[in-house]
Amino acid sequence: MIETASPGPSQFLIPALTALVLGLVLPFAVLPFLRWLGIVDIPGHRSSHTVPTVRGMGLATAIAALLALGMSTLMALVDVDRSVMVAVVVGMIASAALGWAEDYRGLPVRWRAGFQLLIGLAVTSALTYILGTPAWWIPVGMLAIAGYINVANFMDGLNGISGLQGLVVGVAYAYAGWATHLTWLVVCGAAIAGAFLAFLPWNLAGKRVFLGDTGSYFLGGAIACCAVGAFLSNIYVEYILSPLVIYLADTGFTLVKRIYRGEAWYQPHRQHVYQQLTDLGFSHVASSLVVTLATVAVTVITVVALPFEVDGLMWMGLLVVCIVILYLALPTILGKMRRSAS
């Protein structure tokens, strides 16, 4: 990692505001295009919505973020490690393109998995070469990128949940880049935050639209490529993983539970914690806010704990574990309370 002076406001504000404005405006052009192509999500037994809804608006979100990153490059906002940023952005583009192929034509599972692994392999190989890190990180990064693309896709089941996740993780990564003088991470995090903040009003108000696989793959790929680039640049792993803990815990807990029960774990289902909350009567926004508040709490506690000595770290770590357990157990707790009250 090449350290530079601390990034200034322009490294955050220019990509964030550019992505925000473009993310608010581009859907006016993309929505008729999606309708013309007939890209509509039909409700199924796994769905949390009840009416056919246009999906694929992640195309506008991805374009907004990528154009913001392109403008940041032209304005020379990233003074060093530009090759790292290029590798990360290529991973973002490839993830969005794969999601678009799934939205538009649909792909067999083995093709999707193969392309996800290929994206992870290409991005991690490039980052390993650029940063001079050991080659044995390549399979780890490959699996991490492919895995988190799927995590973001599995968790994209409610109005608001992915927009809020992109906003929170983007801000957290921009802060991590500022704290560690990684300008490219500030710019990428800000662009992600601005683009997904802009998607929220389109997702939550008026004629609602979905990100589709284009948006969820872009979200997962953008976060995972930034995370692998930041990890290989030697920043604290706490900065990288803390905003992802709740998503990883929900997905991992649900997967292990389904395998333990002998269920077909690879089949679509509605057993994620956030889905169980809506089954208990939570609105989409309320359930999404539970996920987001838990994510913010884990992230803030983890980052605040970084300067502490061993004893302080232990108590902060214990608090994070308690938040994760409370989140995972929340549907069970609320269900028992409801049965006791009836």
Side-chain angles (χ1 to χ4, degrees), residues 39-276:
I39 300 179
V40 176
D41 195 274
I42 305 298
H45 70 279
R46 177 180 173 266
S47 304
S48 296
H49 61 289
T50 56
V51 297
T53 306
V54 173
R55 72 176 192 275
M57 191 52 79
L59 180 63
T61 305
I63 292 173
L66 293 169
L67 287 178
L69 292 172
M71 175 175 286
S72 301
T73 303
L74 292 175
M75 295 179 69
L77 295 181
V78 179
D79 48 359
V80 296
D81 284 342
R82 286 187 289 270
S83 53
V84 174
M85 181 171 161
V86 169
V88 169
V89 170
V90 168
M92 294 183 187
I93 295 171
S95 300
L98 179 60
W100 173 253
E102 174 65 10
D103 276 330
Y104 182 55
R105 298 290 297 269
L107 294 172
V109 173
R110 62 181 182 278
W111 281 94
R112 293 203 303 269
F115 280 121
Q116 290 163 2
L117 290 169
L118 187 60
I119 292 169
L121 175 64
V123 172
T124 311
S125 297
L127 290 170
T128 299
Y129 174 77
I130 294 165
L131 295 167
T133 51
W136 52 269
W137 282 117
I138 292 176
V140 178
M142 177 184 69
L143 292 174
I145 290 172
Y148 201 76
I149 289 174
N150 282 292
V151 168
N153 184 250
F154 295 156
M155 293 293 288
D156 183 35
L158 294 176
N159 292 325
I161 192 167
S162 291
L164 290 168
Q165 175 74 358
L167 172 62
V168 170
V169 178
V171 171
Y173 278 11
Y175 174 79
W178 174 80
T180 57
H181 299 186
L182 276 182
T183 307
W184 71 264
L185 187 57
V186 175
V187 170
C188 287
I192 293 169
F196 280 92
L197 174 61
F199 173 68
L200 284 173
W202 284 94
N203 185 218
L204 297 176
K207 296 179 179 179
R208 297 176 178 178
V209 294
F210 294 161
L211 281 174
D213 291 316
T214 310
S216 63
Y217 278 37
F218 176 75
L219 175 63
I223 291 174
C225 291
C226 284
V228 171
F231 177 79
L232 295 178
S233 297
N234 289 326
I235 79 167
Y236 288 126
V237 71
E238 289 89 340
Y239 281 127
I240 302 166
L241 288 182
S242 58
L244 316 183
V245 163
I246 296 299
Y247 260 40
L248 292 171
D250 194 328
T251 305
F253 178 67
T254 304
L255 177 62
V256 170
K257 189 169 58 177
R258 285 171 60 79
I259 292 174
Y260 176 76
R261 290 173 177 170
E263 300 175 3
W265 55 269
Y266 45 85
Q267 295 289 341
H269 61 86
R270 285 188 44 80
Q271 297 183 27
H272 285 285
V273 172
Y274 74 86
Q275 291 170 323
Q276 294 180 55

